Amino acid sequence: MAYSRRELPPLNALRAFEVAGRKLNFRAAADELGVTQAAVAQQVRTLEQHVGQPLFNRLPRGLSLTAHGAIYLSDISRAFDTLNAATARFSVQPEMITISVTPTFATKMLIPRIAELRAACPGVQFRTIATEVLSDFDRDNVDIAIRVTRPPFPETWDARLLFRQELIVVASPDLVSGVPLPLSPSQLREFPLLHDAYDHWQHYFHANDMPFGSKYNQTALALDAALAGQGLAITCKAFVASDLEAGRLVQVMETNVKSEANYYMVRKKVSYPGKAAERVWNWCTERYSSGP
């Protein structure tokens, strides 16, 4: 016949017995539990009454376990170990850090290094929001945001410059095969231009004189099109550093354009940032502050 859980001894009595069994001293058990020696003795007596036999031999200088008490202590200790392990598995949750970045930053700079970030911040779970919209830190539960922007910033923000936006014109080597490089500004018209939401081609052409080309709502898509040989793209050099190094893209213009807006990392000012958020902030600073 199964033993009813309603007939189990009181938990406090079991705790008192387990500690007293380890210490073999009611006073030492009382010190560990933060109660009086008399309270421990009473809890042990309650347990002994419940099981119907003595668990300790009361000696002039301490205690010793009876034969039944030693067996019971072994079983109770394993039960408490199981409870501790179950509670630890339930209560230890990874800390969630939310990073809001532009879609192109996410694709070209964050996602390729996410394994490196996780290794640098063990025990942290990451949530990435890819958007061009400026985040509301409280409403969107964002810890850190990376945006192309410029000062001044609100007094409630902590802002750090990661890298300056240096714009370059790139293309697939296949597209410009046989064409002497660098191209002159007038030669840009000989190739289809790939436009994104920022439309940095305005640095080379007036709006009413813009050459024909494909339009994309994200820089990452325009760069994918450039990699596929569909036209010239103008983008931040940091985003294509690995493609240039690997030869998947080539810089086709000799001159670079310095943008007034640059890439900043921002967060809400707080007196004591969480340890996980601070580790992520410092990692991003070290990893991206020099650009690619």
Side-chain angles (χ1 to χ4, degrees):
M1 180 175 171
Y3 196 86
S4 172
R5 291 183 180 178
R6 294 183 178 179
E7 299 176 17
L8 288 174
L11 180 59
N12 285 341
L14 291 172
R15 291 181 65 231
F17 167 66
E18 193 274 335
V19 177
R22 284 191 285 106
K23 301 289 187 179
L24 292 178
N25 187 287
F26 284 158
R27 181 180 295 278
D31 290 340
E32 180 173 324
L33 293 171
V35 297
T36 65
Q37 180 178 346
V40 172
Q42 179 58 47
Q43 291 290 352
V44 171
R45 282 195 296 272
T46 298
L47 183 61
E48 289 175 325
Q49 291 172 2
H50 189 94
V51 299
Q53 54 188 300
L55 300 171
F56 288 107
N57 296 310
R58 275 72 171 175
L59 305 175
R61 295 184 179 180
L63 305 168
S64 68
L65 288 160
T66 65
H68 290 296
I71 295 172
Y72 195 42
L73 177 63
S74 177
D75 291 338
I76 294 301
S77 296
R78 285 197 300 272
F80 275 113
D81 289 341
T82 300
L83 289 172
N84 284 334
T87 303
R89 287 193 298 270
F90 178 80
S91 61
V92 177
Q93 299 292 331
E95 187 168 355
M96 174 74 75
I97 298 297
T98 298
I99 307 175
S100 177
V101 297
T102 64
T104 305
F105 191 99
T107 301
K108 298 297 184 180
M109 302 195 72
L110 180 59
I111 293 175
R113 299 180 177 95
I114 198 70
E116 181 184 342
L117 175 57
R118 285 174 176 158
C121 303
V124 179
Q125 185 173 348
F126 296 98
R127 171 173 171 256
T128 302
I129 300 175
T131 178
E132 300 283 356
V133 178
L134 191 61
S135 297
D136 183 298
F137 292 105
D138 295 323
R139 183 194 63 212
D140 301 330
N141 293 320
V142 169
D143 298 290
I144 296 171
I146 296 176
R147 291 290 185 276
V148 54
T149 183
R150 70 188 73 181
F153 300 109
E155 293 184 358
T156 56
W157 286 11
D158 186 7
R160 181 167 297 177
L161 174 66
L162 289 183
F163 56 89
R164 299 195 179 278
Q165 187 171 206
E166 183 180 358
L167 300 173
I168 63 174
V169 180
V170 296
S172 165
D174 295 334
L175 181 68
V176 294
S177 178
V179 179
L181 298 178
L183 301 177
S184 65
S186 61
Q187 287 179 293
L188 293 178
R189 294 181 178 277
E190 299 175 11
F191 297 89
L193 304 185
L194 304 172
H195 300 263
D196 60 18
Y198 294 104
D199 210 11
H200 290 303
W201 288 116
Q202 60 187 312
H203 292 291
Y204 292 95
F205 305 98
H206 294 294
N208 58 0
D209 189 36
M210 192 73 68
F212 173 80
S214 302
K215 294 186 177 181
Y216 301 89
N217 68 332
Q218 294 180 8
T219 304
L221 298 177
L223 291 177
D224 286 343
L227 286 163
Q230 297 176 13
L232 307 181
I234 180 170
T235 185
C236 178
K237 187 176 182 179
F239 292 154
V240 293
S242 60
D243 293 314
L244 292 172
E245 184 177 355
R248 293 185 292 268
L249 292 174
V250 292
Q251 184 174 345
V252 300
M253 298 279 296
E254 187 173 24
T255 58
N256 301 343
V257 176
K258 303 291 186 180
S259 174
E260 294 182 2
N262 298 296
Y263 278 84
Y264 284 83
M265 181 167 61
V266 296
R267 63 181 174 181
K268 183 179 178 181
K269 283 184 179 178
V270 293
S271 300
Y272 301 100
K275 291 183 178 180
E278 190 69 10
R279 291 207 306 270
V280 176
W281 177 270
N282 291 335
W283 183 89
C284 289
T285 299
E286 294 172 3
R287 190 62 185 85
Y288 297 122
S289 60
S290 59

